[in-house]
Structure formats: structure tokens, C-alpha cells
Amino acid sequence: MSKIFEEVRFPHVTFKNHVARSATNDYAGNEDGTVSEFQMGLYRELAQGGVGMIITGHYAVCPLGRNDIHQNALWDDSFIASQRRLTDMVHENGSKIVAQINHAGAKAQAAAIGGAQPVAPSAVEVAPGVMPRALTAEEIAQVEDDFAAAALRAKQAGFDGVQVHCAHGYLFSQFIDPAHNKRADAYGGSVENRFRIVEETLRKVKAAVGGTFPVFIKIHCNAVEGDAQFASDLVYMLKAAAALGVEAAEISGFDFAKQPRDKRLYYMERARRAREASGLPVILVGGIRTLAEMDEVLDGGLDMVSLSRPFVCQPDILKRLQAGESSKCIGCFGCFSCYQKTGKRCVLH
């Protein structure tokens, strides 16, 4: 049997297998930020399908950081009861669930933030035609506090950990990427400065939730500008995260949606080198479809695999692979827009 189905242990949490459902924005939450019945059904299917580690779609840590009007939220204690209902259900169905917490930064949609001007590290356009304003140092400190408060609420709601989102062009991703961070203060310039907001946030999160509550990060491993230097910067950031007690980093890339349909293991080699140089456990996401590819990831020295689109296509894909079937996911980009446009979760459904 593939080693994918064996237990995997991190310092403060154990998962029943080496497979994570990568955070996937389903655009299906209630407009008040609570968990919808439709989402309860989605997560129930994933838990019953045998996923070891379910990572939720990103949860907004504050109203100004909300990505869209159907995004779930954790900026207030009133959300805890709704999330407790979700975690209880996932646990009853034999899986563990980690809350991804996030601030959309310059990607926040106007309708989701009441028409306010979005914020970012610098006044650099991310969403076409929308110019964000640069955060002040005082506002940066408040964002960090918002992440810590959201993490504590996740713990109180029964989650098995939190994942701080530092990828895919959202606020923390914008800070660590030189193409979007043009600051000249303590939060811009060197990798130490660009990663400062993440380090300070992780310290505050750990202080809020305690030393034994699992904290993960998700981070992109490449960059539009200065990609070779960013590979070196990634090692620094992973080492810093490890020193702060992060359990593992899920590694993705800024260009995952642009990868050719037939390409596989998009970020494998860079993730492998970063894992070896930093010592921090790594969860790889991007272009993983078969058991052979999953085993290749583990054989390459990485610690878990993470899938998104295959679970959109077939929530029970793990059981199907274990039974000798193949994934039906064709690697299209439809699931990034199908639901918003048609209500379909996958072009095959």
C-alpha cells in the first residue's frame, strides 16, 4: 500500500494520512460570514472521503480584509458557534480540520468591504483599475492583532490548528513579494523587513493560542520579479517560521492558475530544496493527481501532499485512488470561475 495512507506526525498534531485538502474558496458562505448548509455538505463529503487534513477556504480576519461577500469570517466572537458546528461535524466523520485565516489586502472586492478603498503594503495596483492605499505602521499592528484574535476564535471553535495565508496575492503575499512591496520603512526592502509582518503575526498568534496549538503557514515559492533571489528568500522565511514554532509550510506558487493542463508537481523541486535547507516540514500543493505522484513527493523528502481541484471534482478521490481508480480531474481552470458563473463546482458535474 502507498505510504500516503500512513499516519503523519507533527510536533502537536497527528493526521491519519499524508493528504490535505488545500484551502479552496468556495464562494458559498452565508453573506453574514457564517457557515452555510451547502458548505456543511461539502466538508462532510471531504471528511467521509478520508481526507487527513482539511484546510478550510480562507476566513477573513477583519471586515476590511474580506475578499468577497460569501467569504466566511472570524473577526468577531459571534462566528464561533457557527464554526463549532462545522468542526464537530468534521470530527464526527473522522477527519481533522484547520482554519485558514487571511486578509485579502488589495484583492478585497469593493462589495465585500462596503466600497472602501482596499489596503496593501504599497499603493501598487493588484486588481485591475483599483488602486489600494498603503497601510500605516499602526494599521499593520492592528492587522497582526486581528490575525491573533481570529486564531484564538478558531481554537475556541474546535479547529485542530490554523494556517496563516501568505500566498496567492493576498496581503501577506503582497508584503513578501518585492513586486508589490515598495515600502521604505521597517516593512519593506530586505527579506527580513518584508517578512516582518508575518513574523510579528506568528508571534502574536502563538501568544494567543498557546505553544501547543498547531500553527501552519501557506506561502508561495516563486516571484514575478527576482525569482532566483526569492528562492533564497524562501529559505530565510521558512527558517524564521520554524524558529517561531510553525508546524509546517504548505508551498504553492503565484502562477498555479496559469500552469498547462498536463503539467504536474509544479513546485516540487523548489519546495524540496527549501525543505532541505530550512528544516521546516513542507506540504506540497500543485499538479498532483495520482498515487504515484503523491509517493514521488514523499520520496523526495517532503512531508504531505495537498490537493484542491481533484477534491472539487471528486470529494471521495482518496477512496477511489485506494481502490485502484484514477482521478477524473482534467486540470482545467474551470473550478476557479465555474461556481461564480454557473453554480457548477466542476465542468464534469
Side-chain angles (χ1 to χ4, degrees):
M1 181 183 293
S2 168
K3 67 178 88 174
I4 280 292
F5 298 104
E6 298 173 358
E7 243 183 25
V8 57
R9 296 177 180 270
F10 293 106
H12 300 107
V13 63
T14 298
F15 299 106
K16 65 182 179 182
N17 56 48
H18 287 72
V19 182
R21 193 296 291 256
S22 192
T24 306
N25 189 7
D26 50 36
Y27 297 95
N30 295 323
E31 289 193 22
D32 64 2
T34 58
V35 179
S36 69
E37 289 304 315
F38 184 77
Q39 288 178 314
M40 289 290 288
L42 288 179
Y43 287 108
R44 183 177 292 107
E45 285 184 322
L46 290 167
Q48 291 176 346
V51 183
M53 176 189 191
I54 299 173
I55 308 174
T56 69
H58 60 171
Y59 288 177
V61 301
C62 64
L64 191 57
R66 199 177 191 193
N67 179 76
D68 60 85
I69 61 172
H70 291 289
Q71 184 185 10
N72 297 120
L74 275 172
W75 66 65
D76 187 85
D77 287 353
S78 62
F79 295 109
I80 294 175
S82 171
Q83 298 299 335
R84 168 61 76 173
R85 183 166 165 258
L86 171 64
T87 60
D88 284 348
M89 180 274 294
V90 168
H91 293 151
E92 288 167 4
N93 283 280
S95 188
K96 291 183 178 177
I97 184 166
V98 169
Q100 186 187 77
I101 51 179
N102 191 30
H103 189 300
K107 292 179 72 173
Q109 298 176 14
I113 57 175
Q117 184 179 14
V119 296
S122 308
V124 175
E125 186 177 294
V126 174
V130 180
M131 183 58 69
R133 66 172 179 83
L135 287 163
T136 67
E138 292 75 19
E139 289 174 320
I140 287 174
Q142 182 59 57
V143 168
E144 296 169 355
D145 291 343
D146 291 338
F147 270 87
L152 178 57
R153 293 184 189 107
K155 179 180 180 180
Q156 292 168 339
F159 283 95
D160 300 291
V162 293
Q163 184 187 66
V164 176
H165 201 352
C166 309
H168 300 169
Y170 297 109
L171 184 65
F172 285 179
S173 173
Q174 294 159 21
F175 263 94
I176 66 177
D177 190 337
H180 298 291
N181 186 343
K182 306 298 182 183
R183 300 178 73 97
D185 62 1
Y187 295 92
S190 66
V191 61
E192 292 85 358
N193 283 356
R194 286 183 281 113
F195 196 63
R196 188 181 306 278
I197 187 173
V198 182
E199 285 196 76
E200 291 177 347
T201 295
L202 291 173
R203 288 193 185 94
K204 290 181 178 181
V205 166
K206 294 294 286 187
V209 300
T212 61
F213 186 70
V215 176
F216 302 84
I217 64 170
K218 185 171 189 173
I219 193 165
H220 57 88
C221 66
N222 56 355
V224 178
E225 298 177 6
D227 185 55
Q229 178 59 49
F230 195 83
S232 175
D233 292 347
L234 177 65
V235 173
Y236 169 86
M237 292 185 281
L238 296 188
K239 284 183 176 179
L244 291 167
V246 168
E247 308 274 321
E250 184 183 15
I251 288 187
S252 183
F254 76 88
D255 55 351
F256 69 96
K258 298 178 181 178
Q259 297 294 329
R261 178 181 292 183
D262 58 352
K263 190 171 182 181
R264 296 291 181 263
L265 304 178
Y266 311 150
Y267 311 112
M268 171 71 173
E269 188 54 33
R270 183 160 292 189
R272 188 195 63 76
R273 293 197 301 266
R275 168 67 169 97
E276 183 178 2
S278 70
L280 182 66
V282 163
I283 304 165
L284 180 69
V285 65
I288 302 169
R289 299 285 183 273
T290 68
L291 277 181
E293 289 163 354
M294 295 179 188
D295 283 327
E296 184 179 345
V297 171
L298 299 190
D299 290 341
L302 304 185
D303 303 87
M304 286 187 78
V305 300
S306 190
L307 291 73
S308 174
R309 281 177 281 188
F311 281 123
V312 174
C313 182
Q314 296 169 292
D316 61 348
I317 183 60
L318 274 188
K319 288 185 175 180
R320 292 178 179 274
L321 291 176
Q322 198 167 13
E325 296 182 36
S326 299
S327 171
K328 285 186 178 180
C329 182
I330 59 177
C332 72
F333 305 141
C335 44
F336 298 131
S337 59
C338 267
Y339 183 73
Q340 300 173 72
K341 294 178 180 178
T342 70
K344 290 185 178 181
R345 303 218 58 78
C346 175
V347 295
L348 298 180
H349 298 169

